[in-house]
Amino acid sequence: MADATRLFAEFKDDLGNDYRINIHENGWGFAAVEFNLGADGFTLRYSGDNENRFQPVIGSEVVFTLNETLAQHTSFIDALATSEDADFTVSIYKDPDGANTLFWTGVLLSEQTELHDEYFPVENTLTAVDDLGNLTNIKYNNSGTAYTGRETVVEHLMNCLLNNRALHVYGATDILLRYANDFIPTTTFVSANALIESEINHSAFYNADDEGVPEFFDVFTVLENLAVTF
């Protein structure tokens, strides 16, 4: 179930597409309050090495302006400035009054928030990231314990992606992972999708030190290696 929406805004782009930006807070128990965006709505940017055609993982961020015109906006900005990582998340939906398709989701950054002692309206530039970078801080294991046995490539990918902290907007039947299937089995496989047939031992993603204690790869490294290989 998605975290409650604290603030939201809607806008139409130059092509006539409607979007809605939601700012979520876990445990928020009051009605959502609308705010006005800046003239450019939001800007989606992709980060990485543009010279590397084979870069396996490409992150993204969204930047938008929150026009502070109400006390509820001010209280949110104050809360964001003193928040912990991932206290606030962002979801963007396309055609909110129609298909309402999830377009992007991420974690709202707090460290870039500035408090302004000015009269309304106050323009606040906010940045949200897709949280892929945080996967470098998480070890690829089962809550501290080594996974056992083996999993398919797709299951390993899902193990990685499910560590993202902005997935609460996904429902039980929503699609989280899409991929181009360039790998076709030709022997004993029962389907035409090698990525859900090929399996990798979990032991491939950790090494034991001199005392036999597992030293786990971080989740980003596992995701990156799977993307490079497949």
Side-chain angles (χ1 to χ4, degrees):
M1 181 177 179
D3 292 348
T5 300
R6 179 162 178 171
L7 298 174
F8 71 95
E10 296 186 359
F11 85 103
K12 187 185 297 288
D13 69 9
D14 294 338
L15 300 177
N17 298 310
D18 293 317
Y19 292 89
R20 173 178 168 127
I21 297 180
N22 299 306
I23 299 176
H24 303 272
E25 181 181 4
N26 191 332
W28 180 251
F30 303 95
V33 175
E34 188 170 8
F35 69 92
N36 293 323
L37 290 161
D40 56 350
F42 67 86
T43 301
L44 174 61
R45 301 169 179 164
Y46 293 94
S47 59
D49 181 5
N50 294 329
E51 301 301 320
N52 182 4
R53 294 176 53 215
F54 303 104
Q55 184 177 350
V57 181
I58 300 175
S60 64
E61 69 175 20
V62 160
V63 179
F64 61 95
T65 298
L66 183 153
N67 284 307
E68 184 182 342
T69 59
L70 300 172
Q72 293 96 321
H73 301 158
T74 304
S75 64
F76 160 72
I77 294 296
D78 291 343
L80 176 61
T82 57
S83 65
E84 300 294 330
D85 282 349
D87 280 354
F88 295 94
T89 56
V90 170
S91 65
I92 302 177
Y93 287 84
K94 188 175 181 179
D95 190 18
D97 298 322
N100 198 35
T101 304
L102 181 62
F103 177 77
W104 190 89
T105 184
V107 172
L108 197 59
L109 299 181
S110 60
E111 62 268 20
Q112 298 182 13
T113 306
E114 297 182 4
L115 300 179
H116 302 276
D117 185 14
E118 302 173 6
Y119 293 107
F120 291 159
V122 179
E123 292 188 348
N124 297 274
T125 300
L126 303 183
T127 301
V129 295
D130 59 19
D131 209 40
L132 287 175
N134 185 60
L135 299 183
T136 60
N137 302 317
I138 302 171
K139 297 300 182 183
Y140 188 64
N141 56 42
N142 187 13
S143 300
T145 303
Y147 287 113
T148 59
R150 59 182 184 267
E151 298 284 4
T152 67
V153 174
V154 169
E155 288 166 332
H156 280 293
L157 287 170
M158 289 299 295
N159 283 345
C160 293
L161 295 176
L162 288 173
N163 284 283
N164 190 294
R165 297 173 295 177
L167 301 182
H168 58 85
V169 296
Y170 284 87
T173 60
D174 291 337
I175 297 173
L176 175 61
L177 173 64
R178 296 181 186 272
Y179 56 86
N181 180 26
D182 294 329
F183 301 91
I184 307 299
T186 60
T187 55
T188 60
F189 295 104
V190 297
S191 77
N193 185 345
L195 295 186
I196 63 173
E197 298 285 354
S198 303
E199 295 182 335
I200 302 173
N201 289 325
H202 278 291
S203 57
F205 298 115
Y206 65 86
N207 296 306
D209 62 16
D210 294 339
E211 298 179 355
V213 178
E215 295 181 331
F216 299 102
F217 293 4
D218 64 75
V219 172
F220 188 89
T221 298
V222 174
L223 182 63
E224 189 174 47
N225 277 275
L226 290 172
V228 168
T229 304
F230 296 98

